[in-house]
Amino acid sequence: KAGVTQTPRYLIKTRGQQVTLSCSPISGHRSVSWYQQTPGQGLQFLFEYFSETQRNKGNFPGRFSGRQFSNSRSEMNVSTLELGDSALYLCASSSGLAGGRSTDTQYFGPGTRLTVL
Amino acid sequence: KQEVTQIPAALSVPEGENLVLNCSFTDSAIYNLQWFRQDPGKGLTSLLLIQSSQREQTSGRLNASLDKSSGRSTLYIAASQPGDSATYLCAVGDSGGYQKVTFGTGTKLQVIP
C-alpha cells in the first residue's frame, strides 16, 4: 500500500506570496491532519479534515486554510506569506471512524519544506 | 491547554544499552498517546499507539507505558543500536477534539557504536 505523499517536497517563496501544498493520504484513509514543524515551536497542529469537513483547528491565523476533496486528498493554503512561515509542513492520514473520533494510528508523509525569503 | 514535555532533550548512549525516554503531559483527560521517531529531514514514523484505557504496548525492542493519573508515559528501548539514532516524539490525543494532537518537544537520541 502506498504511503502518504506530499507535493512539492521543497518550495521557495517570497514574502507576500501565497502557496498551496498538497497531500494524498493512504488509500482508504478518510482523515487528514496538517502540522507545522519549526525549530523554535516544534510540531504544531494546524487542522484536521474528515470526509471533506474540517473537524478541528489549531491556533493559527486565518492566512492558513485547507480543504479536502471527495477522494480524501487535501490541500493547505497559506496566503500573504511571512518569514516566520518557513517550516516543514507535515501531513498525516488515518483511517478515521465515521461520525466519531479517530483512535487510529497517524501515518505521516515526508513533508514539504517551505522557505520564505 | 495541553502541554507535553519530554526529558531529556538529548541523550547519547553506547550501543547495547537499555534506555528510557520520558514524556509528561499536563491534562490527564487524553484519548490516546503515540510515540514517533523522526529521522533528520524526514517525516514521522509511528512506533506505538496506546489508547487511554491501556497501560502499555510493545513492539519488538520497544515498550511504551502510560500512566494517565500521573500524566506520564515512558518509552523503553532495549539493547539500543546505532540505527535507533533519531528524534523521538510523543504525541497526546486530546479527548476534547477529533484528532487534535499535541506533540512533545522531542528527545534526540544518539547511539554510539
Side-chain angles (χ1 to χ4, degrees), chain A residues 37 56 94 101 103 105-106, chain B residues 34 38 46 51 95 98-99:
Chain A
Q37 186 176 32
N56 220 331
S94 61
R101 296 188 182 94
T103 60
T105 300
Q106 289 196 68
Chain B
Q34 195 164 355
Q38 185 174 29
S46 176
Q51 302 298 345
S95 65
Y98 302 101
Q99 282 290 35

Side-chain angles (χ1 to χ4, degrees), chain B residues 2-87:
Chain B
Q2 180 74 271
E3 292 182 6
V4 183
T5 305
Q6 292 184 245
I7 295 174
L11 184 62
S12 185
V13 301
E15 181 178 1
E17 191 163 297
N18 301 325
L19 58 101
V20 174
L21 306 181
N22 297 293
C23 171
S24 60
F25 45 94
T26 54
D27 185 349
S28 62
I30 69 171
Y31 204 63
N32 55 33
L33 186 145
Q34 195 164 355
W35 282 92
F36 295 89
R37 68 173 279 169
Q38 185 174 29
D39 295 283
K42 297 189 178 180
L44 279 66
T45 301
S46 176
L47 298 173
L48 291 163
L49 171 68
I50 311 176
Q51 302 298 345
S52 61
S53 58
Q54 298 174 320
R55 298 280 299 195
E56 66 177 333
Q57 282 286 344
T58 298
S59 176
R61 296 183 293 110
L62 305 179
N63 175 276
S65 67
L66 174 63
D67 184 344
K68 272 201 328 177
S69 61
S70 66
R72 291 180 185 175
S73 176
T74 61
L75 178 67
Y76 174 82
I77 303 176
S80 58
Q81 303 171 357
D84 295 330
S85 299
T87 296

Side-chain angles (χ1 to χ4, degrees), chain A:
Chain A
K1 208 184 240 189
V4 178
T5 58
Q6 292 186 246
T7 56
R9 291 294 311 280
Y10 302 92
L11 207 49
I12 299 175
K13 292 286 189 179
T14 56
R15 279 181 298 174
Q17 288 187 309
Q18 68 104 26
V19 67
T20 299
L21 312 181
S22 180
C23 171
S24 292
I26 291 172
S27 177
H29 283 191
R30 298 168 65 187
S31 171
V32 174
S33 299
W34 288 90
Y35 298 86
Q36 182 196 65
Q37 186 176 32
T38 60
Q41 299 296 319
L43 259 160
Q44 293 184 287
F45 174 78
L46 280 156
F47 28 66
E48 186 252 355
Y49 287 87
F50 180 83
S51 291
E52 301 179 66
T53 300
Q54 186 183 89
R55 296 196 298 189
N56 220 331
K57 192 178 191 306
N59 297 323
F60 278 82
R63 300 185 297 107
F64 292 82
S65 63
R67 60 177 175 168
Q68 186 180 33
F69 301 95
S70 59
N71 61 358
S72 294
R73 190 177 70 84
S74 177
E75 290 181 345
M76 69 162 281
N77 185 78
V78 187
S79 62
T80 319
L81 283 166
E82 301 177 0
L83 295 178
D85 297 333
S86 294
L88 180 67
Y89 289 87
L90 292 164
C91 160
S93 78
S94 61
S95 63
L97 295 172
R101 296 188 182 94
S102 172
T103 60
D104 297 326
T105 300
Q106 289 196 68
Y107 296 88
F108 280 77
T112 293
R113 172 77 62 184
L114 172 64
T115 301
V116 182
L117 302 175

